[in-house]
Amino acid sequence: MSSRRRFYARPLLATAASIAVLTAVASAAPAATPTAGAADTALDDTYYQDALGKTGTALKSSLHTIISDQTKLSYSQVWDALKATDEDPANSSNVILLYSGRSQSKNENGGNTGDWNREHVWAKSHGDFGTSTGPGTDIHHLRPEDVQVNSVRGNKDFDNGGSAVSGAPGNYTDSDSFEPRDAVKGDVARMILYMAVRYEGDDAFADLEPNDRVSNGSAPNIGRLSVLKQWSQEDPPDSFEKNRNDVIFDRFQHNRNPFVDHPEWVEAIW
């Protein structure tokens, strides 16, 4: 096992530049915040109304009931769904690959070297659900990724540390874990925690739960929870992740990842 490095040990390289850009954007577009706030209020008044004011197991249970009301996709339908959910905002012909961050043609999907395929962020062997309709096809945790990088990640748990991943700058891996690039650390955490709330063992699939260990194997668990919580806090939802949540809700599954809309609920439950 490689030595572990804390998230803070390798700061976000773009933090200073991002702050400067965001400051400039905020001063130039003061109307953006009220619009977002109005959307959040509408969701709280409708979609999340039964979860408001709750914490712990009561909040988790309410959210499970809410997000379990969804349209389910087949595994073949996932291809076209990901072309919409992960579309490159700068090039509508491309998708953004999760770990590598590369913008790649939507048509270059498949199983060959250089293609992108369907990465199960909650590894499908953790609970043995495979590609079954349900957790195996839930696009809240399925993302486009380079075939070879997807293979490197395999079914490893998430943690800090390891050696650099070839072809995916900023990603690290060792024998038992995978660390994604800084820009999507929070995305990964919120996808994992969505799965833990959505799949509670009451629909013929395993009860998926995060824990604070690695090497979980085929158990219906993924870790490390403490690291995932830190990632969610340090990398809050950005415009790409929020748009993805909206596209899934509006066009495909008609359910939401509550931790994208309310990141504070991570700490309220875990």
Side-chain angles (χ1 to χ4, degrees):
M1 180 186 300
S2 301
S3 60
R4 301 289 174 192
R5 293 168 297 113
R6 293 183 61 81
F7 186 39
Y8 292 111
R10 187 172 56 258
L12 301 180
L13 298 179
T15 300
S18 298
I19 291 172
V21 171
L22 289 171
T23 301
V25 170
S27 62
T33 300
T35 302
D40 292 344
T41 299
L43 286 171
D44 284 351
D45 289 344
T46 54
Y47 191 72
Y48 292 122
Q49 61 180 337
D50 292 337
L52 298 181
K54 297 178 180 178
T55 60
T57 56
L59 175 58
K60 189 170 185 252
S61 178
S62 290
L63 292 176
H64 170 69
T65 299
I66 292 167
I67 67 177
S68 293
D69 183 8
Q70 69 178 100
T71 298
K72 297 178 181 178
L73 307 181
S74 69
Y75 198 45
S76 62
Q77 288 176 317
V78 168
W79 285 120
D80 287 335
L82 295 186
K83 292 176 182 180
T85 59
D86 291 73
E87 181 176 289
D88 182 349
N91 185 345
S92 61
S93 297
N94 288 10
V95 291
I96 300 292
L97 307 190
L98 176 64
Y99 302 131
S100 62
R102 187 170 75 242
S103 178
Q104 183 160 333
S105 171
K106 293 178 178 179
N107 297 324
E108 293 176 354
N109 62 304
N112 297 320
T113 300
D115 285 346
W116 63 268
N117 61 4
R118 296 160 292 187
E119 153 73 339
H120 289 80
V121 176
W122 185 294
K124 56 185 181 288
S125 64
H126 289 236
D128 195 29
F129 53 76
T131 59
S132 299
T133 299
T137 64
D138 194 318
I139 54 176
H140 275 295
H141 85 117
L142 279 157
R143 301 291 293 267
E145 187 46 62
D146 176 86
V147 167
Q148 290 175 291
V149 176
N150 194 348
S151 179
V152 171
R153 189 270 158 131
N155 68 347
K156 295 174 181 175
D157 294 81
F158 293 102
D159 200 356
N160 291 316
S163 302
V165 176
S166 177
N171 296 262
Y172 298 84
T173 193
D174 59 20
S175 62
D176 59 20
S177 69
F178 189 89
E179 177 185 351
R181 60 193 176 101
D182 289 344
V184 296
K185 278 182 163 68
D187 307 52
V188 166
R190 287 180 285 274
M191 286 185 278
I192 292 294
L193 299 178
Y194 161 87
M195 293 292 284
V197 171
R198 170 60 186 87
Y199 299 98
E200 292 277 45
D202 55 2
D203 53 4
F205 296 106
D207 180 5
L208 306 183
E209 293 295 339
N211 61 17
D212 210 35
R213 53 174 299 209
V214 293
S215 297
N216 277 295
S218 62
N221 307 109
I222 280 186
R224 296 185 183 265
L225 177 58
S226 58
V227 172
L228 293 170
K229 288 172 62 179
Q230 183 182 9
W231 289 354
S232 182
Q233 182 179 21
E234 294 297 318
D235 175 36
D238 60 15
S239 59
F240 187 91
E241 188 180 4
K242 291 177 181 178
N243 180 72
R244 189 175 197 278
N245 201 24
D246 289 339
V247 173
I248 292 173
F249 181 63
D250 293 337
R251 296 178 53 185
F252 296 102
Q253 294 186 177
H254 311 299
N255 71 338
R256 303 185 68 84
N257 183 333
F259 303 112
V260 176
D261 297 319
H262 282 279
E264 72 277 8
W265 281 345
V266 172
E267 196 65 38
I269 295 175
W270 288 281

